[in-house]
Amino acid sequence: MNKIQRIGCACEKPTSNYTEYRSSELGIDHTNGRHAEVSIQQCKLCQRIWIHYLVEFEHYSKSGRWYRGIVSKKNRPQITPENAVEYLESLEWYVYGGSYFDSTGEFGQGKLSVDL
């Protein structure tokens, strides 16, 4: 009997496209003057919930960066724009990218680079 290898959903790929998600704004993180956009995204295919954190410093070229990490339904109500960075840093892994990294998406873990 052959083992069937489970292939994860496309939303787990670092280069997944924003059109694959339903998105709702959670708010703005004003910590350290970031004005980062924080939203909740749900994969249209598997229904998995993600937190999405986007920050860009208007007067600096190549400063745009985003992070996306999986959120359990249990943890979702506790996440606010102000604690989103802390939550993402606590995950085993997240996806990140943007002009700051010269990347359309990669896997990462640990500290986020969200300040100038």
Side-chain angles (χ1 to χ4, degrees), residues 56-67:
E56 186 168 21
F57 300 96
E58 291 180 12
H59 303 325
Y60 296 91
S61 62
K62 293 193 157 264
S63 68
R65 59 203 90 167
W66 56 265
Y67 298 86

Side-chain angles (χ1 to χ4, degrees), residues 34-50:
R34 285 184 211 133
H35 304 287
E37 297 173 17
V38 184
S39 57
I40 297 296
Q41 295 181 330
Q42 186 170 27
C43 177
K44 291 177 181 176
L45 189 61
C46 74
Q47 309 304 310
R48 183 174 288 133
I49 299 171
W50 297 79

